Every structure is written in C-alpha cells, then in structure tokens.
Amino acid sequence: MPNPGLHLAVEIDGDGAHPAASRRADPLAVSRRVRAVAAIAENAGFTLATVDDEPSNSGIGAVERAAFIAAATSTLGIVPTVSTTYTEPFHVSSQLASIDHISVGRAGWLVSESTAAETARAWGRPLVDDTRREARDATRVVRDLWDSWEDDAVVRDVATSRYLDRDRLHYIDFVGETFSVKGPAIVPRSPQGQLVVFAPADLLPPELVDVTLTSETTRAATPLTFTEIEVALSTPQATAGERIAELGPWPERGRLRYAGSADGLVALLTDLAGAVDGVRLHPLVLNEDLAVLSQLVVPALIRGGVAARPIPGASLRTTLGLPRPVSRFQESAR
C-alpha cells in the first residue's frame, strides 16, 4: 500500500550543501557517521536518503556506502548516485541489484553524468563528449539486465540438482554506438524487479525514468516528480541568515533554496504537497540542519498528514506507489 502525501528525501553525503560545511563536520569516523546519519533520517520518517557518487574523504564510493546503510536500516529507502559516463553498465546493474537484495527491496538508483576532464583522467579514459548518449544507453542496458532473469528462474530443487531454469534467463544483445553488452546478468532478479530510477530533468528519455529531480514545482513527464531544495534552518544558537553568513558565499546550484525557521519550511512543503510528489532536501550543514529537520520539520509534516512514514516491510516502489513491473522478456512471451 503506497504512502499518501509528500515523499521526503534527504541527501546525506558529505558535510552539507554549503562548500564550507566541512568546517563544522562531525568528528566521528566515516562508518559510524554514515550509520548515525542514516539512523536519524530513518527514525525521523524520511522516505529515502540519497548518497552522492563523489568519493568521501575515506575514498569509499556511493555504492559501498549504500550497501552499508542497507544493512544498518530497515525502512529507509537507499538511493546511491552512480554516473554512467565511465562506469561499466554491467557492473552497475550487478551492484545495484545486490543492494536491492541486501535491503529487501528498498534500493533505487540516481543516474548521473560525469562531464569533468579530471574525472576522465581518474578513470584513465578519453573524455566523453556525449555524456547524455552514454547515460541513455547505459540506463537502457542496466534496465534490460535487471529483466534478464525472470522471477522464477531460480529453481533450487536439491533432489534433482536443478537450480536454474535456463529458459528463463535471457541475453539482452545490446549494441550501442560505443559499447555492447550480451548478458544475461549474474545477479538474480531483485525483490523490486526494477529498482526505482531517479534522474535529473532532461538527462534521460522519460520512459527510462521513474522519478525526475527538478528545481521546478510542476510535474514532469515521468511517473513521479521530486523538487530539489537546499535548506538552511534557524537553530537555537543562530538564525539561518547568521549561519550562512558565518560560512561565507553559497554558490547557486540550480536548486530552490529556503533559509528560515522550521515552521516556515513546514508551510512551504505543505504548499508543495499538491504540486509535486516529493522533495529532496539538501541540508546546509548536515549535522546541524538534519537535527532540526528530524526534530521539528518531518514530525510536523507527519502529524499534519502532509507526509507519512515508510511502512515496515514495504519496498521502495510500494512506498512511492509505483507498480512492480514484470520482466519484459516474460511479458513478451505471453
């Protein structure tokens, strides 16, 4: 049963949305900090948390951190950001499907592109000119690989020593402009079948996307639309304006921005509830603003019926009201 109302996502990577947020970073070790932040988000009632793909100071990537969070939580959706420009789509498919198995159906994927020359150098690859073509082709391949095992392909019949039904595994035979993939996947179909695919507006064709992330407050041509909002909240020690001033200039990143009291943010999100399906919040300083969000903003939205906690045992698709798709190979055989 899907949760009604506004879905609440929060970005929990790094130290915060402000480039100087590290000045106020939590001193905990990375693993303890990741687990503590995820626990705060889950206990508050957030629908899901996203993890950026830029390696943290420890060099641990988004997929590995997402797997750690999956094992440490029980209801929170986990959505790592994974770029499609230089990563191998076959490996992306396997890694993300594994997180869906670990989390028992709470995983998603935020598709991104890498346009910086230093990223190409880090991968030891030539700079890709058409990153959107790579994103389109890689996302199509990943989705096909997730479908390449039908739900009942795993037999596990010990008596007959028959563990797989090979007729229910399928080659995807993708041939693109820059790469080809044969398939099938090496990971059985995950609990959700297809993980929930998030993408920035206009990066991918709408048929490849479940949730569009946008700075707009109107719905996109995909099943769901989340609005991106950077938030700086007043705390008992300082107003939002004072906190921003203390950190210095805060560059624009093409997102909406709110600075003020918790009550004001509750009012803003209440107004947005009828216009979009969800929001992704980017705290100014993760340690400080997540505390205010979890203690004042999210509880007020839940009490007011604007948002709802994820239901224990529900998949991320179910929580978001998205159907679980049948494998396209299984569907075409009907």
Side-chain angles (χ1 to χ4, degrees), residues 10-16 25-46 48-51 65 68-69 72-73 76-77 281 283 285-291 293-294:
V10 60
E11 169 61 44
I12 61 171
D13 188 68
D15 299 312
D26 194 310
L28 289 175
V30 172
S31 59
R32 292 177 59 195
R33 183 165 186 266
V34 168
R35 181 163 52 194
V37 168
I40 292 171
E42 180 170 73
N43 292 335
F46 277 99
L48 62 95
T50 60
V51 186
R65 277 174 284 156
F68 182 76
I69 293 170
T73 54
L76 184 69
L281 304 179
V285 178
L286 186 59
N287 302 341
E288 300 169 355
D289 293 272
L290 182 59
L293 289 168
S294 64

Side-chain angles (χ1 to χ4, degrees), residues 35-218:
R35 181 163 52 194
V37 168
I40 292 171
E42 180 170 73
N43 292 335
F46 277 99
T47 307
L48 62 95
T50 60
V51 186
D52 202 357
D53 65 343
E54 292 301 325
S56 65
N57 293 334
S58 68
I60 303 173
V63 170
E64 290 77 12
R65 277 174 284 156
F68 182 76
I69 293 170
T73 54
S74 59
T75 61
L76 184 69
I78 307 114
V79 184
T81 302
V82 182
S83 171
T84 54
T85 306
Y86 300 106
T87 52
E88 298 290 344
F90 191 90
H91 298 318
V92 172
S93 164
S94 301
Q95 291 172 329
L96 293 173
S98 297
I99 296 175
D100 203 41
H101 281 288
I102 294 169
S103 66
V104 198
R106 292 182 285 121
W109 173 26
L110 175 48
V111 182
S112 72
E113 57 184 338
S114 302
T115 58
E118 53 266 31
T119 304
R121 287 195 294 272
W123 282 88
R125 302 272 296 275
L127 182 65
V128 172
D129 294 326
D130 193 345
T131 55
R132 298 205 167 196
R133 176 200 61 209
E134 296 299 293
R136 179 201 64 208
D137 288 356
T139 304
R140 183 161 289 129
V141 165
V142 170
R143 279 192 173 277
D144 284 351
L145 287 168
W146 287 339
D147 274 349
S148 64
W149 289 53
E150 295 184 25
D151 285 316
D152 49 1
V154 179
V155 177
R156 293 197 181 98
D157 187 340
V158 177
T160 62
S161 298
R162 185 168 175 265
Y163 297 95
L164 291 175
D165 183 345
R166 62 180 300 174
D167 292 334
R168 299 187 187 280
L169 302 184
H170 304 277
Y171 293 116
I172 68 167
D173 291 321
F174 176 85
V175 179
E177 294 181 45
T178 60
F179 64 85
S180 61
V181 176
K182 184 74 173 174
I186 56 174
V187 178
R189 191 165 165 82
S190 75
Q192 295 184 100
Q194 292 274 324
L195 279 67
V196 181
V197 175
F198 295 71
D202 301 325
L203 176 60
L204 294 171
E207 65 270 19
L208 294 176
V209 179
D210 295 304
V211 183
T212 292
L213 299 177
T214 176
S215 61
E216 305 294 328
T217 56
T218 55

